[in-house]
Amino acid sequence: MKKGEIKIFKIDDLAHGGDGVARAENGMAVFISLTLPGDLVKAKITKIKKDYAFAKLIKVIEAGSGRIEAPCPVYNECGGCQLQHIDYQKELEFKHNNIKQLINRIAGIEKFELKDVLAADDDFRYRNKAQFPLKLDENDQITAGFYKRGSHDIVPNHDCLIQHPLINRILRVTLEELNKFQLSVYNENNLRGLLRHLVIRVGTCTNQGLLVMVTNGDDFIDKNLIAKTLMRKIPELKGVVQNINNEDTNVIFGKEDILLAGENKITEYIGQTAYLISARSFFQVNTMQAKKLYDTAAKYLGNDRSAKVIDAFSGTGSIALYLADKAEKIYAVESLESAVKDAEKNAKLNNINNVEFKEGLVEEELSELLEKEEIDSIIFDPPRKGLDEKTVDLLLASSIKKIIYISCNPATQARDLKKLKEKYNLVKIQPVDLFPQTYHIESVALLELNN
Ligand SMILES: C[S@@+](CC[C@H](N)C(=O)[O-])C[C@H]1O[C@@H](n2cnc3c(N)ncnc32)[C@H](O)[C@@H]1O
C-alpha cells in the first residue's frame, strides 16, 4: 500500500471517532471518514502509519445499510459533524455498540447491563452554544463557520443544522452589522487582526440569547454602536459581551470580559431548576438531553433523604442543584473559581440550601471530605481525560456504597472502570445521546461496592 494509491475497500466497522474502518490486504486498519459498515468504496490512501492508514473517500460503490443523504450542504467538508450520512437509528446502534466494545475490551468487563441509548427527540437544531471562528471571504466580507476536517481552514456556514435556530439568526444579523464597518479579522499565523471568534449561547427553554465577540486587543471603536444595534434588531438577545484574548493560543476565551450592552448572562432551565449562564460558564450543550442525563443520575442515586453525596467536577453546580431534594447534603467540588461563583448564585436562585460548594481539585478535596464525613454516594462528571490515579486510589481505599460515573469519553471511563472493578461492580450503563450527528456520546455508569 502506498500513499496516493487508489483502492477499493469494504467497510466493516465504525471507529470511536466516527470513521469507517476497512482492512487492507496486509491486515492493516484503514480509516475512511464519511463511510459506514457495509459500504464498498473507492478511496485514496492519504497517510500511512506503522499499524494503520487513512484514506479519503472518492466514491461509494455500494451503500451500506443505514446510509442516507446528509442534509447539511457543507457536511462533506466541515469537521463539526461525523455521522450525518447515517440514519439516526443506525447512529444510535453504533454508539451503543461502541460503548459495549470499549467496556469489554478496555475495562475487561463482560457482565453488566447496557441500556439502549436514550435518543434525542430532536436530532438536529439542538445545540445551545456555538463558537464560530471568523475569516474574510473572497469579497473581503467577514464570514463564519467551522473548521474543515483535520485543518484550521474555515468552511463558511451561517445555518448550521445542529445549532438552535436562534444561534444561526444571531450569527447572520451580527455578521451583517460587523460587515458595515471596516473591521479586521484575526490571523492565527501572524497573530494580527481584531475579531477572533463569535460565541453565541441561547436558552432552549427561555429563547434568550447571549453574544460574545472575542477580540485580539481592544481596538474596537464601534463596538458599543454595534452591540446596541444588535440588541434592537434581535429582541431575544439579552446581552452583548466583548472578551479580550491577546494570547497566541487555540483556547477561545481570554481572561477579560467587558459588557457592551444588556446583561452578561441568560437564564436556562433543566426541568424545574433554573440556571444563570454567563459567557464562559460550562453548561451542557443539549438542554433537553441534559435533563435525561440528570434524570438518569437521579434514578441511580435513589431517594434517600438522609444521604450524603458528593458531586465531583460540579461545574456551575447543575447536577448537585438538580438532585438537591434527593439527599440530605451534597458537596459539590469544582476547580474553576468562576464556575463555583456561578454555582453559588444558581443555588440562591433556586432557594437551595443543602448544597455546599468547594473550590478545589477533586483529587485533593475528596480525601478531606471522605475523612470528615461518611459519604453514601459520589457522582463523577470529569472532563474527557477521566479520573486521575489519586482519585481512583482514594475510591479503592474507601467504602462508599455507590458511584455514579458520568462520562463524555467512554474510552477513559472504561480505563477507570478497569481499575475500579477491584472493589466496585459495574451494575449498568445508560448511554445518553447529547450530541446527535457527531461521534460523541455521554455514558452514565452505576457502580456498587462489592460485598
Ligand atoms: C464535564 S464538566 C462537568 C460539569 C457539570 N457536572 C455539568 O453537568 O454541568 C467538568 C468540570 O470539571 C472541572 N474540572 C476539571 N478538572 C478538575 C479537577 N481536577 N478538579 C475539580 N474540577 C475539575 C471543569 O472545570 C469542569 O467544570
Side-chain angles (χ1 to χ4, degrees):
M1 211 163 53
K2 285 202 304 278
K3 191 175 162 187
E5 201 179 338
I6 294 176
K7 293 177 81 70
I8 308 286
F9 293 100
K10 182 81 182 169
I11 308 298
D12 53 26
D13 202 358
L14 199 72
H16 172 60
D19 284 352
V21 192
R23 289 273 156 202
E25 311 89 77
N26 60 2
M28 188 184 253
V30 183
F31 295 92
I32 312 173
S33 53
L34 304 170
T35 65
L36 77 159
D39 274 355
L40 186 70
V41 301
K42 190 189 256 188
K44 185 177 183 175
I45 306 291
T46 51
K47 205 185 271 179
I48 303 182
K49 299 274 192 190
K50 190 165 158 270
D51 300 320
Y52 55 92
F54 292 94
K56 187 171 168 31
L57 176 68
I58 297 175
K59 189 182 170 195
V60 177
I61 300 166
E62 249 175 57
S65 139
R67 176 174 275 283
I68 55 167
E69 187 78 36
C72 172
V74 297
Y75 173 63
N76 285 359
E77 282 178 88
C78 178
C81 296
Q82 299 79 35
L83 304 177
Q84 273 197 34
H85 62 289
I86 302 176
D87 156 84
Y88 189 46
Q89 271 316 311
K90 203 80 183 173
E91 176 183 335
L92 295 170
E93 280 171 34
F94 286 131
K95 288 180 170 176
H96 187 267
N97 194 32
N98 191 251
I99 291 183
K100 184 172 184 301
Q101 282 184 22
L102 290 170
I103 299 293
N104 293 164
R105 185 165 50 80
I106 301 179
I109 302 174
E110 297 282 339
K111 251 182 73 187
F112 71 102
E113 185 186 359
L114 179 57
K115 300 273 193 191
D116 283 345
V117 180
L118 283 177
D121 296 325
D122 298 312
D123 56 330
F124 283 99
R125 309 262 184 219
Y126 61 84
R127 279 189 65 102
N128 60 29
K129 178 184 168 192
Q131 310 187 127
F132 297 101
L134 303 169
K135 73 168 185 182
L136 289 180
D137 67 12
E138 52 290 355
N139 302 316
D140 266 357
Q141 295 291 294
I142 302 167
T143 187
F146 296 104
Y147 294 124
K148 212 173 177 166
R149 283 202 173 81
S151 107
H152 261 209
D153 292 344
I154 297 166
V155 180
N157 186 2
H158 302 170
D159 187 25
C160 172
L161 295 185
I162 62 169
Q163 308 299 336
H164 188 286
L166 180 56
I167 289 187
N168 289 324
R169 180 150 54 85
I170 294 173
L171 174 70
R172 288 192 291 266
V173 180
T174 304
L175 289 173
E176 211 176 277
E177 286 311 308
L178 292 173
N179 276 316
K180 290 181 181 161
F181 299 83
Q182 294 288 313
L183 298 170
S184 60
V185 169
Y186 181 71
N187 177 331
E188 56 186 19
N189 297 320
N190 61 18
L191 315 179
R192 289 162 81 162
L194 177 72
L195 296 169
R196 288 181 79 129
H197 277 86
L198 295 179
V199 178
I200 303 172
R201 310 193 76 146
V202 300
T204 306
C205 299
T206 56
N207 215 30
Q208 299 179 353
L210 182 70
L211 168 69
V212 190
M213 298 191 277
V214 184
T215 63
N216 174 33
D218 194 15
D219 186 17
F220 190 5
I221 39 177
D222 300 305
K223 61 188 184 183
N224 293 95
L225 175 62
I226 292 171
K228 275 202 192 104
T229 310
L230 291 173
M231 295 286 290
R232 188 167 41 77
K233 290 196 166 178
I234 312 165
E236 296 92 337
L237 203 55
K238 292 293 282 182
V240 180
V241 175
Q242 178 187 9
N243 173 272
I244 299 181
N245 185 355
N246 299 335
E247 305 290 318
D248 174 11
T249 169
N250 282 337
V251 175
I252 292 180
F253 288 116
K255 292 194 181 78
E256 191 185 349
D257 291 321
I258 302 169
L259 180 63
L260 300 181
E263 296 165 28
N264 63 1
K265 34 177 85 61
I266 53 171
T267 307
E268 176 66 308
Y269 284 88
I270 295 183
Q272 303 295 312
T273 313
Y275 300 94
L276 289 173
I277 306 172
S278 53
R280 285 185 271 157
S281 326
F282 178 91
F283 196 76
Q284 295 288 356
V285 297
N286 186 333
T287 306
M288 303 325 257
Q289 288 300 97
K291 179 169 185 319
K292 293 183 193 169
L293 182 74
Y294 294 177
D295 283 339
T296 303
K299 196 163 78 186
Y300 290 177
L301 183 66
N303 219 344
D304 174 4
R305 292 299 311 261
S306 64
K308 303 228 168 52
V309 175
I310 295 176
D311 172 13
F313 306 95
S314 53
T316 48
S318 325
I319 297 179
L321 298 176
Y322 194 81
L323 303 180
D325 64 352
K326 304 217 162 353
E328 184 184 325
K329 175 99 190 179
I330 303 187
Y331 296 96
V333 183
E334 162 64 41
S335 59
L336 209 67
E337 186 190 353
S338 63
V340 175
K341 289 216 167 95
D342 283 348
E344 282 164 346
K345 283 187 203 136
N346 284 330
K348 280 208 184 87
L349 182 70
N350 291 284
N351 291 319
I352 291 173
N353 305 311
N354 63 335
V355 179
E356 188 177 325
F357 297 98
K358 293 196 161 287
E359 185 192 325
L361 296 171
V362 166
E363 50 275 31
E364 285 165 15
E365 297 295 322
L366 204 59
S367 60
E368 229 175 83
L369 279 170
L370 295 179
E371 260 171 44
K372 192 178 100 180
E373 198 142 10
E374 194 169 319
I375 299 291
D376 299 284
S377 303
I378 302 195
I379 301 163
F380 287 103
D381 185 9
R384 291 187 65 75
K385 66 177 192 297
L387 303 180
D388 69 309
E389 271 182 38
K390 200 168 161 196
T391 304
V392 172
D393 290 343
L394 275 171
L395 290 172
L396 292 176
S398 80
S399 53
I400 294 156
K401 293 185 238 79
K402 202 186 273 180
I403 297 173
I404 298 161
Y405 186 158
I406 303 175
S407 167
C408 55
N409 185 350
T412 55
Q413 185 186 45
R415 178 205 64 203
D416 295 341
L417 295 184
K418 179 182 178 180
K419 298 182 205 149
L420 289 171
K421 74 180 177 187
E422 202 183 292
K423 201 157 172 190
Y424 287 92
N425 287 332
L426 172 60
V427 180
K428 52 187 154 186
I429 288 189
Q430 173 64 73
V432 187
D433 193 16
L434 267 79
F435 316 99
Q437 317 305 334
T438 79
Y439 71 88
H440 296 284
I441 181 80
E442 203 80 12
S443 156
V444 190
L446 171 66
L447 288 86
E448 282 173 0
L449 189 65
N450 290 341
N451 289 322

